[in-house]
Amino acid sequence: MLYMEISTWEPEKRDLILEHLKELKMPPGIKVHNQWVDLTGGRYFILYECEDAEAFAAFNLPWSDVCYIETVPVMKSTEFISLMSRKS
């Protein structure tokens, strides 16, 4: 399943976030599609695939002390339209 995550942090946590990003290693079971940083500061976006709860936790738990993470399951709009068309 695809997930879009938006991580936000307080300005005073910036240096901790930079250290985390430098050391970021994806656990097995996480396939990153792309990542973006908000140029105005304080937000990081990542689109990735994950089918395993253990990998999901291994990826997110190390960040829980420095930022807030909003996770949204997503799919391409063309796939969604196709899926909903079959259900009609």
Side-chain angles (χ1 to χ4, degrees):
M1 177 167 254
L2 278 175
Y3 294 96
M4 170 64 76
E5 284 192 351
I6 304 166
S7 299
T8 58
W9 55 88
E10 304 299 328
E12 63 271 10
K13 301 259 181 153
R14 185 198 64 177
D15 291 342
L16 288 171
I17 293 294
L18 289 173
E19 289 305 313
H20 272 274
L21 286 171
K22 287 178 189 176
E23 298 172 12
L24 180 62
K25 292 184 179 87
M26 295 302 152
I30 300 287
K31 178 184 176 192
V32 174
H33 288 268
N34 217 326
Q35 304 170 68
W36 304 269
V37 175
D38 180 349
L39 296 178
T40 63
R43 290 192 301 177
Y44 171 76
F45 305 86
I46 183 168
L47 178 67
Y48 66 93
E49 278 183 72
C50 179
E51 299 295 335
D52 180 274
E54 190 173 333
F56 181 86
F59 179 57
N60 282 292
L61 286 176
W63 293 88
S64 64
D65 62 336
V66 294
C67 65
Y68 307 100
I69 301 171
E70 179 182 0
T71 305
V72 181
V74 297
M75 71 172 36
K76 292 181 181 178
S77 59
T78 53
E79 292 175 15
F80 179 76
I81 291 167
S82 176
L83 177 68
M84 297 316 291
S85 295
R86 289 193 303 258
K87 294 200 179 269
S88 297

